């Protein structure tokens, strides 16, 4: 569904930050990109919704080059959730979630129903939460709203960049469970970035391990645990502090 073909990215200031990426992400797959800070995870993700453009190679989405899509049309097919909560501060929870369905001219009544349904699903009682503003929510609640906003209009791809890294451990586990449940139910093709190997192992159909702009290994969680490609992956699996990360 998404194919990276000889994709490289070079910045004048930082040189080559992605080095000849070649891999496919399958329809319905939960694909997790893992690696240390600066390995190129965010850059790889941003290429998909064309926030930035690679300097070499191409990315195909349903066999068509990303750059041949109308940008607006492409973005409407993609839901995006970031680490920094990017809700509109001056809009209520309801207004934040209904923004894209309204742009897509979805029926108002259907939007209302769907928002109630989804808020209940993520444990936010609609009557209590719909009219609140983002500043009246906790971090975990904001991320729940961010996730609903990204999935409500049925995107073909869901991109998530360290969406839970600012949360406390309990909220983090709850939201991991939630996103897994939502994925099992809706099977949205998901590309999820994290530097937390245990999160990757818990969520992924396949893990893509990156280091210094290169893909080191792509494998299922079971395979990567059993047969890490090299010492670096192995240390990352076992004890991140050993390799001086953070
Ligand atoms: N706009 C930019 N201009 C120049 N260099 C950049 C730019 N954006 C990212 N880089 C460089 O590209 C490399 C990869 O960055 P990227 O943000 O993709 O890493 P990451 O794996 O997401 O790291 P982290 O885990 O810290 O978020 C880094 O060395 C970074 O300094
Ligand atoms: Mg990043």
């Amino acid at each position: 569904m998404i194919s990276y073909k000889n994709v490289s990215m070079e910045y004048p200031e930082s040189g080559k930050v992605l080095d000849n990426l070649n891999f496919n992400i399958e329809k319905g797959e939960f694909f997790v990109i893992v690696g240390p800070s600066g390995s190129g995870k965010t850059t790889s993700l941003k290429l998909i919704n064309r926030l930035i453009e690679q300097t070499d190679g191409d990315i195909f989405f349903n066999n068509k080059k990303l750059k041949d899509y109308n940008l607006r049309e492409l973005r409407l097919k993609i839901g995006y959730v970031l680490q920094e909560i990017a809700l509109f501060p001056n809009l209520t929870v309801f207004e934040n979630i209904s923004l894209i369905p309204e742009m897509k001219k979805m029926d108002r009544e259907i939007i209302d129903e769907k928002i109630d349904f989804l808020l209940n699903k993520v444990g936010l009682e609609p009557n209590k939460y719909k009219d609140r503003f983002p500043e009246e929510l906790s971090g975990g609640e904001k991320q729940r709203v961010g996730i609903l906003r990204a999935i409500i209009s049925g995107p073909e791809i869901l991109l998530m960049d360290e969406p839970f890294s600012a949360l406390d451990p309990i909220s983090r586990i709850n939201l991991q469970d939630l996103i897994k449940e939502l994925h099992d139910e809706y099977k949205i093709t998901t590309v999820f970035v994290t530097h937390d190997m245990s999160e990757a192992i818990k969520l992924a159909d396949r893990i893509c391990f990156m280091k210094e702009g290169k893909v080191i290994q792509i494998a299922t969680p079971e395979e990567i645990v059993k047969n890490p490609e090299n010492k670096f992956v192995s240390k990352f699996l076992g004890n991140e502090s050993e390799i001086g990360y953070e």
Side-chain angles (χ1 to χ4, degrees):
M1 181 180 198
I2 303 168
S3 300
Y4 287 68
K5 296 242 162 83
N6 308 317
V7 172
S8 293
M9 181 79 181
E10 203 165 337
Y11 286 110
E13 316 82 40
S14 12
K16 215 165 211 179
V17 302
L18 295 181
D19 189 1
N20 198 30
L21 304 185
N22 283 288
F23 56 84
N24 296 327
I25 299 168
E26 308 300 334
K27 189 171 162 60
E29 186 171 33
F30 203 114
F31 191 84
V32 179
I33 303 176
V34 192
S37 190
S39 55
K41 305 181 296 295
T42 296
T43 306
S44 306
L45 197 73
K46 281 181 172 170
L47 293 175
I48 297 179
N49 65 353
R50 282 176 48 197
L51 278 172
I52 50 174
E53 198 179 324
Q54 66 275 12
T55 40
D56 267 301
D58 273 302
I59 300 178
F60 293 81
F61 169 40
N62 289 338
N63 301 317
K64 179 169 153 182
K65 285 182 188 173
L66 278 185
K67 59 181 169 220
D68 292 338
Y69 280 86
N70 169 288
L71 192 59
R72 189 186 136 88
E73 181 203 339
L74 178 74
R75 296 255 171 92
L76 286 175
K77 292 178 195 289
I78 300 177
Y80 196 27
V81 183
L82 294 167
Q83 174 184 359
E84 322 86 61
I85 296 127
L87 299 175
F88 294 104
N90 54 333
L91 299 183
T92 64
V93 165
F94 181 89
E95 289 165 341
N96 264 287
I97 304 175
S98 64
L99 217 59
I100 294 173
E102 271 170 15
M103 270 168 66
K104 282 187 164 176
K105 308 242 180 300
M106 245 164 88
D107 189 80
R108 183 78 204 195
E109 253 175 56
I110 295 179
I111 297 177
D112 281 4
E113 256 174 45
K114 224 170 169 175
I115 289 182
D116 276 8
F117 173 81
L118 286 171
L119 281 171
N120 275 319
K121 196 166 183 73
V122 301
L124 300 174
E125 215 233 296
N127 289 334
K128 227 170 120 189
Y129 284 94
K130 256 198 309 208
D131 298 323
R132 288 208 205 165
F133 287 92
E135 64 176 15
E136 300 164 330
L137 302 174
S138 73
E141 289 166 348
K142 278 188 234 181
Q143 277 315 55
R144 281 164 210 254
V145 174
I147 290 167
L148 295 191
R149 188 178 59 174
I151 65 167
I152 186 166
S153 60
E156 290 185 50
I157 306 172
L158 182 58
L159 305 178
M160 305 184 95
D161 193 353
E162 309 234 15
F164 309 143
S165 57
L167 302 177
D168 66 85
I170 305 276
S171 309
R172 192 174 176 142
I173 288 168
N174 285 339
L175 282 198
Q176 288 168 351
D177 292 341
L178 173 72
I179 204 74
K180 210 170 158 54
E181 223 176 89
L182 291 173
H183 183 258
D184 284 345
E185 189 167 344
Y186 299 113
K187 289 284 177 222
I188 302 172
T189 308
T190 302
V191 190
F192 187 105
V193 164
T194 181
H195 62 254
D196 177 347
M197 197 53 134
S198 60
E199 183 166 81
I201 288 169
K202 175 171 175 181
L203 296 174
D205 290 319
R206 282 189 305 157
I207 294 173
C208 169
F209 192 96
M210 288 186 74
K211 181 173 181 254
E212 293 164 3
K214 292 191 178 71
V215 170
I216 305 293
Q217 184 171 16
I218 298 183
T220 63
E222 296 74 30
E223 283 166 357
I224 218 165
V225 168
K226 222 162 85 190
N227 270 322
E229 179 71 25
N230 60 27
K231 260 197 152 141
F232 190 85
V233 178
S234 160
K235 281 190 175 170
F236 209 82
L237 272 163
N239 184 357
E240 291 179 23
S241 62
E242 259 182 69
I243 53 170
Y245 179 67
E246 282 189 349

